[in-house]
Amino acid sequence: MVNTEQKTDAHHAAERAALRASLQHDYATAESGGIVPLDRRRKLYAMAALWLTMNCGFGEVFIGFNYQQAGFTLMKSFLVSVAGIVLYFCYAMPAAYIGSRTGQTHSLLARAVFGKWGAFVVAACLLVMGTGFVGFQSYTTALIFQGLFHWQNLMLVGIVVSIVCIANNVIGFSGVVAWARYVVTPIVLLWIAYLMIKAFGTEPSSVLGAHPKTIATMTTMQGIMAILGVCVWGDEPDFWRYGKPSFWWAGWGYAIGLVFGDLMFTLAGWVMAELAVTHGGDGSFANSVTYTTQYSLFGLIWLAFIVSVVSQMAAQDGNYYAAVNALQALFGEIRHWSRLYSCAIAVAVACVATWFVIHGGNTWLDVVNFGAAAVPSATVIMVLDHYAVPRLFRLSRSLKQVPSVSDAGTVNLPAIVAMLPAIVIGTVGAGTINWFGHHYWFLPGPLSWVSAGAVYLIGITLIARSPHALALAGFSRQAAASPDARSARIEDLATLSAKG
């Protein structure tokens, strides 16, 4: 008994020590080292709880609601969701692996791989993606409050939500993971479990097997991209740099988050939309939220408010974390720069994004399409550069340290060229830019990943034998000076640790 208490006390002491260390800096700038040490990595439960809460909010419920509006059956919604989740899993595992192996944020990896000027392009995409999803979630939250409290000024509510939800990011990763682990996980798991058990245990087949009337237009491919866009964060290395550097280690965290988060909440959104219409609702998302409160939260508005706020804040934590880390990588080395300044800039941009999403009506679909294309394509390039290029072309870029801005390479030309088709596919190919018409190119997200990877490998093939290959590939001063720069050896924090 005494030993158990001692172990518990030691565990809590270690947790407090980790929190104090993380409050000092978040390893998001080169000045702070930029690499999460292996002894600062989190337990699998903490990471799984984090990923679950970031994928189990009303954003997923909103996607399920739109499936029902598009005339999808529950079975089709299930199959479309599974297709999107499987595609995401194929991308997410390598993305998490490079984060855990190097211990670096997406933005700092971009500086090493894309060069100092290429990193600006990636950071801009991260900022647009992160704040764009803040706008999407703020819009969803405003609709929730419209259903709960009949607040009609969506713009004002959305802007206020965007400002308030920066709170946890002022602290950094510890604030994000603490909110997920100790607040959100218990609440949302109990709610979704009760909702789904009640629906599948009491509702007749005429409801669960219904063929909804088509109200909004959404093709099957757009449906897959909708759930895929909500699943994709793009900056997966930012989170999983705190995980164990093993390829399959993150798989459990992903599986828990995707199955109990994205899949179950999406299906719950469809069920609630269908039930609300069946019982005389007007077909709006706000009305669906009102019915959900009566159906699964005992009609207690205050309880619905708590569930919606804690889950939406968890989603916003992840969105802001991407944007803030991008700004930290860009400006963190400026003298007297504070994370607080990055948070302030992110909030300002997010308020503009919120205005665009709410003002644009269906702009949320553009947000998820762009989010699934541009930043993930940059991640694909970085994964190939670190694991495939050394073996194929004997060009090995060491990632054992984060180069300062002055030491970073100028630009990785093949990487920047490879980003161009990815960005075009994520905008033009998703029908975002009206000038080109609303032509949907199959699955814009995965198509952009494949195009970015293929174009990058072609570009490296063209420069590999050049005597200026290291400069053209944007090698940092330290990486170019490494004796293994022209070898097949892969070097990062994990490989150095394995050698003792």
Side-chain angles (χ1 to χ4, degrees), residues 170-486:
V170 174
I171 299 175
F173 185 80
S174 288
V176 174
V177 76
W179 181 262
R181 182 174 179 179
Y182 299 113
V183 179
V184 183
T185 303
I187 293 175
V188 297
L189 279 182
L190 288 173
W191 172 56
I192 198 64
Y194 174 74
L195 188 155
M196 297 303 284
I197 290 173
K198 181 178 180 179
F200 282 91
T202 62
E203 297 301 330
S205 58
S206 59
V207 173
L208 299 178
H211 290 262
K213 179 181 178 181
T214 301
I215 300 174
T217 302
M218 178 183 287
T219 66
T220 300
M221 293 302 175
Q222 287 176 319
I224 294 174
M225 278 303 303
I227 186 65
L228 177 60
V230 172
C231 289
V232 169
W233 291 86
D235 64 327
E236 281 78 6
D238 286 33
F239 303 98
W240 292 102
R241 64 196 174 112
Y242 282 92
K244 183 179 179 180
S246 171
F247 185 82
W248 291 110
W249 188 85
W252 289 105
Y254 275 132
I256 292 172
L258 294 173
V259 173
F260 291 101
D262 291 284
L263 183 59
M264 298 305 294
F265 274 71
T266 300
L267 297 181
W270 187 98
V271 171
M272 289 301 98
E274 182 61 31
L275 285 172
V277 171
T278 301
H279 289 81
D282 61 8
S284 68
F285 185 67
N287 177 258
S288 179
V289 170
T290 302
Y291 185 81
T292 301
T293 303
Q294 299 295 327
Y295 187 85
S296 63
L297 296 170
F298 318 107
L300 301 175
I301 294 179
W302 63 267
L303 184 57
F305 175 79
I306 292 174
V307 171
S308 62
V309 167
V310 297
S311 62
Q312 290 301 90
M313 278 197 69
Q316 295 290 50
D317 281 347
N319 298 329
Y320 267 128
Y321 197 61
V324 171
N325 280 347
L327 292 167
Q328 283 290 90
L330 290 178
F331 306 119
E333 293 182 33
I334 297 177
R335 189 177 181 183
H336 302 308
W337 186 266
S338 167
R339 185 179 182 86
L340 188 61
Y341 302 155
S342 295
C343 290
I345 295 174
V347 167
V349 179
C351 287
V352 175
T354 300
W355 183 89
F356 273 107
V357 172
I358 295 177
H359 183 73
N362 210 38
T363 312
W364 68 269
L365 196 56
D366 298 332
V367 171
V368 297
N369 278 311
F370 182 79
V375 178
S377 295
T379 310
V380 169
I381 290 171
M382 292 190 290
V383 169
L384 290 175
D385 182 84
H386 192 49
Y387 296 110
V389 169
R391 294 183 172 92
L392 296 175
F393 305 100
R394 300 186 70 81
L395 290 175
S396 178
R397 189 190 316 267
S398 174
L399 295 179
K400 68 180 181 180
Q401 66 186 86
V402 177
S404 64
V405 173
S406 58
D407 289 336
T410 303
V411 64
N412 183 342
L413 288 177
I416 291 298
V417 172
M419 282 292 292
L420 296 179
I423 294 174
V424 170
I425 292 171
T427 52
V428 177
T432 301
I433 301 178
N434 294 331
W435 303 336
F436 299 94
H438 292 284
H439 302 294
Y440 212 73
W441 297 358
F442 188 52
L443 292 171
L447 186 59
S448 67
W449 309 341
V450 173
S451 69
V455 173
Y456 185 62
L457 292 179
I458 292 172
I460 292 295
T461 302
L462 296 177
I463 70 168
R465 296 185 179 277
S466 168
H468 306 293
L470 301 184
L472 293 172
F475 273 52
S476 68
R477 183 174 61 84
Q478 295 89 341
S482 171
D484 298 313
R486 285 284 191 171

